[in-house]
Amino acid sequence: MAPVVIGDPTYLDLEILFTCFLIFPFKSDPVSFAREFSTGYLIGELLYKYELQDDFDQFSQSRVAHAKLNNFSRLEPTLQLLGVQFDQNVAQNIMLEQHGAATKLLYQMYVALEKKKKAGLTGVAMEAMRPAAPAKLKTIGNELYRERLKKLVPRQTDLKLHQVSEHFHMKSKTMENRITRIHFAEQQKVQKIQEEQRVQNIEKHRVGRRRQNEIMARIQAAIIQIPKPPPNRTLKAIEAQKMLKKKKEAEDADAEIKKFEKLMRERLDETGLDTTAPRTTELLNTYSDDEYIRKIQKRLEEDTFAREQREKRRRKMLREQLIAHEAQEEAYREEQLINRLMRQSQQERRIAVQLMHVRHEKEVLWQNRIFREKQYEERRLKEFQEALDKEAAIAKQEKIDHEEQTLRERQLHEKIAVERAEARYKKHYSICWEIVDQIIDLSTKIGKYRALTNNLIPIKLMRDWKELFIKGKPVYEQASIDPLLSDPTQQQLVELDKMNFLDEKDYDEYKDMRDEWCPLEESSGNKPPPNNNILGHVIRRLMGIVYPPEPETPPPVFPLFPVKGCILGKICSGKSICLKFLEEACNIQELSIDTLILEAIQAFHENEMKTKTGSIPQEVEGCENQNEASAILLSVRAQLGAASEEHLKQGKSIPDKLLVDIMVEAINQTPQEKGWIMDGFPVTVNQAKLLEKALTGRDPVKAEEKDEKAQKPSLVIDQRAPKDPPLPPPALDFAMLLEISDITVLRRMAGMKGKFIVCSTQGKLQRKKSVTVTPEDQSLPTHVEPPPIKPGSDEWVYVAEPLPEEIPMFLVPYWETVENKYVTTIKVILRCLRNERHTVIYYLSDIRNHFQEYLKRPDHKQEFVSQWQSDFDSLADDLWDDDETKAESHQRVTDLRDRLWDICDNRKEEAEQERSDIINDCWLTDQIGILMNHFFSLMQVEVDRFQDTKRLLYDYYRGMEGKDPTETNQDFTRIPLVDLKENSPVPSPETSIFKQKSKAVPLKGGKEENSAENLLLNFGADEKLIIDTWTAAAAAISSMVRRNSLSVVLAGAGSPTLVAEVTPIPLSAEEIKKQELKVKMKQEFFGVLEHEGEAVKSRLELIKIKALAFVENLAAKAEETYKNMEKWLGERFLAEMSSVDKLTKVARHHIETSTRIQYELVLDGTDFYINNDIKVFPDSVPPPRPPPVETSVNGTLTLSQLSTLHKQFLQVAPKGKENDYLQIHKREQGFEYHSKRNRQFPKVWLSKYSWLKYDSDRGMMYCGLCRKHDVNMGENIHNFFSGTDDFRLELVNIHESSKAHDWAACIEAASSDSQDKASNEQMLKTMSEAALGRIENIFRTCHAIAKSGRPFTDLDWMCKLDDMKGVDIGSIFRNDKSARTFIHFIAEVERRALKEKLEKCRFFSLISDGVTNNAVKEAAAVVYVRFAYEGNVHCQIVGVQSVEPLDPSAIKNAIVNTLQINLQLNLSSQDWSRKLVGFGSDGAEVMVGQNNGVAKLLKEIQPCVQSVHCLVHRLELAYKEALENIQLFTVLSELLQNIYYFYHNSPLNKGALKSRYAALRLRPTIPSRIGGTRWLPRLQTALQTLLKGYPAIVLHMRDPSSPNHQKAKDFLKLLLKMDIVKFLHFLLDVVNVLNILSRVIQDHNSSIADVFATMQSMLETLHMYQARPGPRERLVENATHFHGHQLVGYGSILAVRTKVLSNLVKRLHDCFCDASQDVLRATTIGSFKLWPNKIKQEFGEMEVLVLTKHYESVLEGANVKVDEVETEWSMLKLELYNRYQNIRSLTWDSVNLVYSHKYPNILTLVDLILALPANSAEAERGFCQMKLTMIQLHSKLMTESMTDLMIIQMNSPDIKKFDPKKAIHLWNVAWKRRLQTNYMVTNNDRSDCSSDSDLDTSFGSD
């Protein structure tokens, strides 16, 4: 990786990349960003690119621990050298991928590298500048850093172990969670079952309880209880009786118990002895251990205790029964006693019964109430628990919602941040794109003008383009503004703006006399005087009278606070915390607007009275809720609070003015010794302006308007005008901004902690103290006699007498008119001069180009040459050697030469006449006149300004004298313009201005004077005219100044004369003062007039100089152009004469040699060609002859000369051994041949180099091929043709790679007869590796040219490009003829491959399309073949054949000829005609005509041919015919097209539409166009786009501020029509269905069965749409609004949709009318997509039968056993269904791989089905490719060449996969005879060839 040097473009790219990393770190995923930098490799790469990390090759990209440790250990010294804070903690954070660690380090590196860039230091320099001691400490620190980093970085084994443990921990945790979930689910099921059981039990209990209650109620209702009468005894008696009764009962119960116990004890004693004794004995006999005894004892004790407990329970139960029995008895006795004692009536009994019922009811009610209370309590507890659970769930859900809302807000923030970053990037990109576009425009503009001006662009144009480029304005003209409309377009506005900008620039240059209008150095002393102070004073005084200045308002008075400031920032940025700290530390008052508003409202509620007078704000005065008395008593703060509360009660925000008043009142109330700081105020720009106005008294808006008004330019200025007052002190001493990120704001608002960052603070502004100047500092005035004061100087006191009111009111508008007229006229004239520059440049370029084209006009010389050649070649054979015939032939050649010379002379005379006409067309004269008129108009403007200024001053001073202004003088000085005779130049704007003012001056010169020789004379006349005009204008100015000065002088000198001659009249002091004032006014008037005159004369002189320069420059350019034309004319004439001489020499050579001219002689202008492609050049100039007198030189030969002489002797010497004398002579001369003779010839070379031969007799080696084919390039040294004795290997290799040896190898390969026996590889071995490599490279280049559709001539520059890249391609076969030849053989390889495939397959179909192509300008037919072999379908082009005339028979013959020529395939023969099964074409009558179409003619050859009309054409025709007369479709189509152009042609409309999409949060989709080649997908896209963007489009068109609003309103009316909207949805339903069919048809893999099935489905769908609306149409069937917009109009489209659908169905029904419908239905077996999912026994049986019956003869011809097809079908179908689950995913090629040997007959039938064409789209694509090729080549190709190109483009492999060996083999075989013939011609002409270029030319070289 190469290092990057600071300052080069690579460094800039890295800097941009670095900046993008830092500014947009989170544009991608932050996790992936930290992960990419965690290894340290990218950081090292950045440092290496900055030449700081020399050991970067030792860095590793691995993410293991030791790789990271190595990288960060090497990074630490470099980062320390840069001064970046980096230690082991930072490295650990980056390696652990902590958020922000890598970004922070990159930012620090960016800052450090920027410093390094500014300092211009390299890494070595920085290392060298560091002292030795710190460097040593740094080295020790680096070692410590590495040791610490090793301790911090865990080992890779630990990390892997940790990952494994984490993995198993997570896996165990997952399993535990799954088990817990399963357990919890089971518990939930059990609880659910228990709950259901409990509910059932409760229901049963409730039902039983209800039944029991009903029974008890019935029983109680049937019992009649008699209440017991109250006892008559006393309470004590009753109690005693009760006690006695209880005592008696207890005694009886005790007696009964004892009796019972006694009885039971007796029974137990009797039974216990009998049962326990035997059991105990038995147990003792069995067990005898103590433990068992203890158990028995314990068991006995337990039994005894249990018996006792049972006895107790029994006693208790008996006692209770006894008590109950006694109670019953007592009750019975009481009842009997009552019955006996009480004798009650029947009425009393009924009352008693009622009372008992009431008592029972009360008891029941009480029990029910207790039960209900218990139920209510349980329900309340349950509801309370449910409420608690619900509250907990709600709280949990709220927490989750809050977290989700926070997450959404963060995501929204991140999205907004990304969008902002993307917007910034787009803005930056658009700016860069605009700049690049302007740079390109400027470059192309400069290039264009360089071509127009011969690289001599005027500096003025370059300045204008530079200014336009800097201002960002277009250099090229956007639109013409000549017919400027009342409503100009955007482009015209841009052009107007550009024109105004250039006008202002030219005017500023003219006014300031700089750049183009800068005076020359020799005239620098004649510069105009500086500003006219007197005139400036007069104008300022008049302006002050007419426009008096407004008085300044005094600033408000505030105490001098020590500190005044504000702290601004976002919410939660920490403003209050900072202010609290400052308030405590610095004794500063905090002013928060929210607190101040609350305090003001509180003051109003507390009726705060004012303590001192204060002003009441305007808002408070307008408050209606407070009466005047309370307003007067309340304080200002209370009144402000009242106004604020009033706004808040109305739901409005407090106005900015009121907020500022509240803040200002708080500032007034602040103690002077304390400073104040505002908290978060002001918030808006309006608040800031109002606050500044309130604190300083200065209105920023009025100040800006005043500054803009002061910047208005003026012709003169007053030096004594009062300067602008100094700016008032600032309202604030400082303003602090606390800037934090939005993420931090969100975190703080969500309760998180954050830190604030103070991004920018401004310190307290220090006021400058005014410096007072003491009187001592001023120098004392000297008593020197002052010189006379000059009017207008600083000491001059201007006359300021009062003026009448009407004088300023008249003079000020007059001066404004003069000033505006002067500026406007100057701009117009300068604009015309600017346009004239362009006119001159374009005209001169046009006449140069026109004359060059005129020189190249065709002539008739070739006709005479061809006639002479035919006459010469027609001579009899016996006359060729006759001397008289030769003499006559020479005479004819002489006559031909003379005739050709006459033609050249005539062409020269015509060219001279054309040049003379160009010179004499009066353009130069008229152009010079126009230029002079422009400059004369400039002079007139300056003279007019002087005269208007003189008149204004004259009226001004007369007004001060109390006189009336003079009348308007029409006799102003006028400068005459040039009269342009006999011409009508383009009128300039200034000519119209001065038309009525000027008198014509005749322009000298006519046509006879405008020749190139008279240019200097004409320029002298023009120069004299300009100087005379300038002299007259200057004289007029001088005369006007002189007249006024004379009047002043006479007025001043008249007094002394009168004093001398006349008796003095005593004057009063007032009269003397008036007279002195009048003299002063005259002096002042003369001074200003003289100053103005000098300025005008200097400008007139500058205009004169520029006019002379312009005219001289124009004349020089014209003269140069005319001279160039004369030069081109002479060179052309000489070149034509030279070509005639070459022709004559060639003709005389053939006459002398008595040979016919085998090639055509072509005389093309200045060039002479042989056979159209061999250009003849003249012989090189021979070297100069030596002088006749020989000079004495040293005659001793050098060693090199002797060596050369020896080799030349060897070449001409006879073969034989070298004699002893020669050897002795060599030894004596000291040659180096002694060593060479000792070196023997290596015999190994003979086996290694098959072409190398060795002559042992002569001791030389030579090339056998070069000597065999007589290829000698004439090498002086080491000639392998004659032989060499220098046995060096490098010489052998040099000869092997030479051009001579390559050519000999080619001839050997072509002349060899072993190609028929040997293979291709063996034949190619006859060439050397170098020659074969060159041929292969050229073949590959030719293949790439044909594949990409490039012209054949591109081979030349591509070969040159290969030479520059070092690719060896040789020096021959580099012209377009060779390219055409090689491309032919490449195409021939593809044709032979196609023929082999057709011979293998058994069936094929023809596809043809015939059209009249404008590119080839003749009718042509493109022929394709479609065939299938073993399930693989192929469709390849055969060729292109011209058709003439355009009838079926000619087209059929063209198809047959194409097959015959390209494939040697005779379609009429039985072998090929029986393979033809189908024919596809377009729908032309000539193709598919029923009576005499091409399909009918092919059926005569093969009756089984299925003719298929291309469904693409049929679909388009059916669609257009169905919608032909539908008005709604016409309106909708126009609407779609107009909306597309409405947005496509207007970027402003497109941008506004995108903003509407963004406002609606929709994805922007711009309307697309309809029509074109892919009309159906385009229509579908346009409809979908319109429906998707309907809300945004309607919203944009409703906007009245959008451009072209009237057009948008028209579109909007159509969009809101109900029938349009419904038809739009209906049409989209139909187009969706048609597009599916179109996709299937266009698919190359679709068979005719797929197309037929899709067609049937489409027709059924359209039938369904006839019965009910489609899916899109149903959405708006009954709608009155669409996307919220009201639809208008009658919305029924029933008739239209019925008509469209019926027409479409009717036309699509006939799509397959040309073919048999039964056969088409039967082809469904050829598409697995149409097979049923499950096997059906009857599927395909009828289809196979139909196909075998129809193609019986064809199948039999293909050796198919027709009887076995049905059986094989059934078996194949069963095997496929049994073997494959998804039958529809199969392909026939995969089935053929498995079953081709098992079921060959049915698979052959499938190949026939696949070979049937579904459309002619392939042929249409071929025509499109052919048109494209013709457009690229810009020429007409022959049919054979076009066929070759089409075959290579359509059939050949890609450039990378192309193998040229087969094509090279064919080329060698086919070109054998031609190469031999050319070889013979070369040998005959060997004597005429001086170099190898002629040899190359003979064989196709450039």
Side-chain angles (χ1 to χ4, degrees), residues 59-75:
F59 276 61
S60 175
Q61 295 186 10
S62 177
R63 297 189 178 276
V64 297
H66 62 85
K68 295 181 180 179
L69 181 61
N70 172 62
N71 294 344
F72 282 94
S73 298
R74 298 182 182 277
L75 285 174

Side-chain angles (χ1 to χ4, degrees), residues 94 249 356 452 464 534 611 713 755 799 978 1038 1148 1351 1443 1628 1736 1839:
I94 296 175
E249 289 176 356
M356 291 301 293
L452 294 176
D464 292 346
I534 302 175
T611 57
K755 297 181 179 180
V799 179
V978 177
S1038 301
R1148 295 189 188 279
V1443 180
L1628 183 57
K1736 294 182 179 179
T1839 306

Side-chain angles (χ1 to χ4, degrees), residues 73-87:
S73 298
R74 298 182 182 277
L75 285 174
E76 195 270 344
T78 307
L79 296 177
Q80 293 294 340
L81 180 63
L82 286 174
V84 177
Q85 185 179 359
F86 185 83
D87 54 7

Side-chain angles (χ1 to χ4, degrees), residues 329-341:
E329 291 293 334
E330 182 67 24
Y332 179 72
R333 285 194 298 272
E334 288 180 357
E335 290 177 2
Q336 293 298 326
L337 182 58
I338 290 170
N339 289 331
R340 285 196 301 268
L341 298 176

Side-chain angles (χ1 to χ4, degrees), residues 503 823-833 988-991 993:
D503 292 344
V823 174
T824 305
T825 309
I826 291 294
K827 290 181 180 179
V828 172
I829 296 173
L830 295 178
R831 186 191 313 152
C832 294
L833 288 175
S988 58
E990 77 276 4
T991 55
I993 296 175

Side-chain angles (χ1 to χ4, degrees), residues 1649-1830:
D1650 298 326
V1651 177
F1652 184 76
T1654 309
M1655 174 67 73
Q1656 299 300 321
S1657 302
M1658 185 197 68
L1659 292 175
E1660 293 178 2
T1661 306
L1662 293 179
H1663 280 299
M1664 182 182 67
Y1665 285 172
Q1666 287 180 331
R1668 64 186 184 92
R1672 287 284 184 175
E1673 189 180 0
R1674 285 198 295 270
L1675 299 176
V1676 294
E1677 185 177 7
N1678 298 319
T1680 59
H1681 292 73
F1682 187 59
H1683 286 293
H1685 299 284
Q1686 177 71 38
L1687 301 179
V1688 298
Y1690 179 66
S1692 177
I1693 59 169
L1694 182 60
V1696 175
R1697 69 186 306 277
T1698 303
K1699 182 179 179 182
V1700 170
L1701 291 174
S1702 59
N1703 291 340
L1704 196 59
V1705 171
K1706 179 181 178 182
R1707 285 165 174 79
L1708 290 176
H1709 264 301
D1710 302 332
C1711 283
F1712 287 99
C1713 61
D1714 301 327
S1716 173
Q1717 298 292 322
D1718 296 335
V1719 174
L1720 292 178
R1721 290 190 183 92
T1723 57
T1724 54
I1725 65 173
S1727 176
F1728 283 109
K1729 301 175 184 177
L1730 305 177
W1731 283 32
N1733 288 328
K1734 296 182 179 180
I1735 186 171
K1736 294 182 179 179
Q1737 297 297 333
E1738 68 279 3
F1739 170 68
E1741 294 179 353
M1742 183 58 67
E1743 287 80 356
V1744 171
L1745 182 61
V1746 171
L1747 291 173
T1748 52
K1749 183 177 180 180
H1750 185 270
Y1751 288 106
E1752 184 176 1
S1753 60
V1754 176
L1755 294 173
E1756 289 178 352
N1759 297 326
V1760 176
K1761 299 178 181 179
V1762 180
D1763 297 335
E1764 298 179 4
V1765 172
E1766 297 181 13
T1767 306
E1768 289 185 2
W1769 165 253
S1770 301
M1771 297 179 66
L1772 177 63
K1773 179 173 61 175
L1774 288 173
E1775 286 199 29
L1776 291 178
Y1777 274 105
N1778 293 332
R1779 183 171 181 178
Y1780 301 101
Q1781 297 295 331
N1782 189 4
I1783 196 69
R1784 296 188 177 181
S1785 63
L1786 288 178
T1787 56
W1788 283 112
D1789 54 348
S1790 61
V1791 173
N1792 273 273
L1793 291 175
V1794 182
Y1795 299 105
S1796 58
H1797 299 290
K1798 195 173 182 179
Y1799 306 113
N1801 299 303
I1802 185 60
L1803 292 178
T1804 304
L1805 179 62
V1806 171
D1807 284 345
L1808 187 150
I1809 296 172
L1810 297 178
L1812 293 176
N1815 52 63
S1816 63
E1818 292 291 341
E1820 187 175 354
R1821 293 190 190 101
F1823 258 115
C1824 294
Q1825 185 65 35
M1826 183 175 69
K1827 293 177 182 178
L1828 181 61
T1829 303
M1830 295 303 301

Side-chain angles (χ1 to χ4, degrees), residues 40 104 258 450 616 825 847 1044 1270 1317 1330 1439 1597 1669 1789 1817:
K104 182 178 179 182
K258 289 180 179 180
R450 283 188 181 277
I616 302 175
T825 309
I847 63 174
N1044 288 276
D1270 196 17
K1317 300 178 182 180
M1597 291 185 176
D1789 54 348

